[in-house]
Amino acid sequence: MATVVGNGGGSPNRPNGGGRATVPNRRGVTGPELATPPLVVRRREEEETVVTFPSLVFREFLAAMGITGFLMLVSTWVNAPLLQRANTAITPNPAKAPWYFLGLQELLERFPPVMAGVAFPTFVIVGMILTPYLDKNPSRRPQDRKVAISLMTVYIMLAVAFVVIGVFFRGVAFTWQWDRVLGHPGVNPGT
Amino acid sequence: MRATGAGGPNPLVKFASQLWGSIFRHGLPSTDKVAARTALTNFFLHIHPVRVKKSAIRVSYTLCLGGLSFFLFILLTISGLFLMFYYIPSVDQAYQNIKDLQFVETFGLVTRNLHRWAAHGMVITVWLHMARVFYQGSYKPPREFNWAIGSILLVVTLLLSFSGYLLPWDQLAVWAITVGTNMAKYAPIAGPYTRYVMLGGRTVGQGALIRFYVLHVVALPLIGFILMVIHFWRVRKDGFTGGL
Ligand code: HEM
């Protein structure tokens, strides 16, 4: 099944999604050239393709059913938390942000607020958006991307570590405590 | 399932067959050509290309993560819609509404649980999706811009989850939002104002609840949805990166 050219009666649907085989995506190729990739120049024997429907759609369906089933199971057994009605007079100790912001809260413990609350997050978000423009290395092979992969891995490990610390090791007044993990009594169930 | 062969004069069968044919232009695909036409003429399928590289749909390649993120978004929209039938964003009623959902309304508990766990799940899948795109270098030209849209989607996902966190109006909610919005305070000059605008006041009260509610059920889902449409469009146009 190699001949896919002309499929779809001249519709703009490109059978092959386009890609590397046609326009070499080199740095410096910008604008219109990128906007009009493969339609014209395409080698006949590209990678093998399959019809989206039903091949891909079926997999998507399976994945959707799988996660629905999983979440239904979890939802039957584990209840979403609900504490006492909000009371601004009583501050729980520790007071914690949602888990995905605990990394930020952890930074706030360790750095001056302007850095932790403003500079770092701005740097991370702007840095993330600009990543493709800063990384000028055209190769996608892991062997050629040692620096990029190392940086990202360090970042992910730090982020995960901070969240884990925030959720499990931060107790009263957000100080370090082993109680939750080791199961000692007397710790205020924060989250 | 067309009523093939049953060409008898039974008007019911004829009507059913006409109805089916008017909705679905093609039967189940018997050949690749029919399959292609099915994908092209079905609204829900036409966001897909007609053919895809075999390597691109290996589960080991996308790990389904982008698709799962989108599916969780749909699941959250549906379960959230049901929650909205019962929830009133008022500091006097919100907490009781949630209690009722848990203990009184039919399926209220499981709907709320589903919404909660799917929300956490979406934060995780979007994160992992970002990681897989990075590790496979799929953000490289010509997909730079789609990565940027994705980055904003990540932020929107976090804000969606964060804004929903306040709505149950229990101790967990109010104090998590207090801590969270306190972080905004530290920005030089703009900080305190930013926090004031977010909360509609100096503390987390009715002003904050209605703001977070409107953001959570209208503004952020709308922004997220529009960005997703652009995101998917670009995935189509730029093509799938494919295996390494
Ligand atoms: C609400 C959040 C998001 C949704 C629903 C979403 C959905 C998708 C889907 C369905 C795909 C097709 C491939 C796949 O399933 O992996 C995709 C591809 C892609 N996504 Fe996302 N995405 C989201 C967030 C992000 C984020 C946070 C980033 C990066 C910062 C990102 C960057 C990309 C890129 C560059 C592609 C093209 C990958 C390729 O061609 O191999 N997306 N996205």
Side-chain angles (χ1 to χ4, degrees):
Chain A
M1 266 185 259
T3 31
V4 291
V5 184
N7 208 344
S11 89
N13 293 286
R14 296 199 307 275
N16 247 330
R20 292 162 299 150
T22 52
V23 179
N25 292 326
R26 302 277 300 276
R27 273 273 138 197
V29 181
T30 49
E33 271 166 276
L34 281 181
T36 53
L39 268 184
V40 207
V41 223
R42 192 173 64 242
R43 274 191 273 116
R44 282 221 142 189
E45 268 85 27
E46 277 181 358
E47 243 181 289
E48 199 184 340
T49 63
V50 291
V51 270
T52 310
F53 182 82
S55 308
L56 172 60
V57 176
F58 182 60
R59 286 175 197 221
E60 290 170 339
F61 178 74
L62 281 189
M65 287 305 108
I67 194 144
T68 309
F70 172 72
L71 283 173
M72 285 304 275
L73 266 182
V74 173
S75 301
T76 328
W77 296 107
V78 193
N79 285 341
L82 187 67
L83 308 184
Q84 293 85 11
R85 190 179 185 284
N87 183 346
T88 34
I90 305 172
T91 315
N93 196 351
K96 289 186 183 180
W99 62 268
Y100 38 82
F101 286 151
L102 280 181
L104 271 179
Q105 206 174 343
E106 185 70 27
L107 288 176
L108 276 171
E109 283 294 305
R110 293 163 186 271
F111 294 94
V114 184
M115 280 178 80
V118 186
F120 287 165
T122 311
F123 176 77
V124 167
I125 293 177
V126 173
M128 177 164 73
I129 293 176
L130 291 183
T131 300
Y133 304 97
L134 299 175
D135 177 4
K136 304 242 154 109
N137 175 358
S139 170
R140 288 181 56 225
R141 289 160 63 228
Q143 306 90 291
D144 304 335
R145 304 176 58 219
K146 295 212 171 81
V147 178
I149 289 182
S150 313
L151 284 176
M152 186 63 164
T153 308
V154 169
Y155 169 67
I156 289 184
M157 278 171 20
L158 277 177
V160 172
F162 278 5
V163 169
V164 170
I165 291 173
V167 173
F168 295 107
F169 293 98
R170 288 295 185 179
V172 174
F174 215 69
T175 51
W176 189 285
Q177 279 174 6
W178 294 104
D179 309 33
R180 187 179 278 255
V181 174
L182 300 181
H184 291 309
V187 69
N188 190 335
T191 38
Chain B
M1 281 163 285
R2 290 204 128 164
T4 35
N10 185 341
L12 247 164
V13 174
K14 251 173 100 178
F15 176 70
S17 145
Q18 183 190 356
L19 185 67
W20 180 268
S22 70
I23 302 171
F24 303 102
R25 300 288 185 214
H26 301 275
L28 285 177
S30 43
T31 65
D32 277 6
K33 199 159 175 192
V34 179
R37 290 233 158 273
T38 315
L40 279 175
T41 58
N42 183 306
F43 176 78
F44 292 103
L45 295 180
H46 93 274
I47 61 170
H48 294 100
V50 172
R51 302 190 71 97
V52 283
K53 284 186 222 163
K54 221 168 178 175
S55 68
I57 66 166
R58 275 203 331 263
V59 176
S60 59
Y61 167 62
T62 66
L63 307 170
C64 288
L65 288 166
L68 280 184
S69 308
F70 181 53
F71 181 73
L72 286 177
F73 181 76
I74 296 174
L75 211 61
L76 284 160
T77 310
I78 297 170
S79 54
L81 205 74
F82 283 114
L83 294 178
M84 280 181 77
F85 291 148
Y86 297 98
Y87 179 84
I88 300 163
S90 135
V91 293
D92 297 324
Q93 298 181 55
Y95 184 71
Q96 192 54 46
N97 293 156
I98 302 289
K99 275 263 186 250
D100 285 350
L101 274 168
Q102 287 212 307
F103 297 107
V104 183
E105 317 297 357
T106 314
F107 293 126
L109 180 62
V110 79
T111 311
R112 171 164 188 250
N113 291 347
L114 193 66
H115 195 74
R116 185 73 158 217
W117 303 135
H120 288 317
M122 186 173 164
V123 172
I124 296 171
T125 55
V126 171
W127 239 93
L128 292 177
H129 170 63
M130 188 265 297
R132 95 92 181 136
V133 169
F134 184 90
Y135 281 117
Q136 287 175 336
S138 298
Y139 58 87
K140 303 206 169 193
R143 297 182 189 79
E144 306 103 305
F145 186 60
N146 217 13
W147 169 274
I149 294 176
S151 308
I152 301 172
L153 270 172
L154 177 63
V155 175
V156 170
T157 307
L158 290 176
L159 289 179
L160 262 171
S161 191
F162 185 65
S163 57
Y165 218 87
L166 180 63
L167 305 184
W169 205 252
D170 63 344
Q171 280 291 70
L172 182 59
V174 170
W175 288 99
I177 301 306
T178 306
V179 173
T181 50
N182 269 342
M183 292 176 193
K185 208 166 56 182
Y186 298 118
I189 306 166
Y193 297 102
T194 313
R195 183 165 190 273
Y196 190 86
V197 170
M198 275 164 86
L199 295 184
R202 268 179 231 296
T203 54
V204 180
Q206 178 64 58
L209 182 56
I210 192 69
R211 276 175 201 221
F212 275 54
Y213 177 75
V214 172
L215 288 176
H216 187 74
V217 304
V218 183
L220 291 168
L222 197 67
I223 296 170
F225 183 73
I226 293 171
L227 287 172
M228 279 179 214
V229 170
I230 303 173
H231 195 63
F232 300 157
W233 171 259
R234 301 282 308 210
V235 173
R236 278 292 309 269
K237 292 298 144 180
D238 296 339
F240 227 31
T241 320
L244 291 170

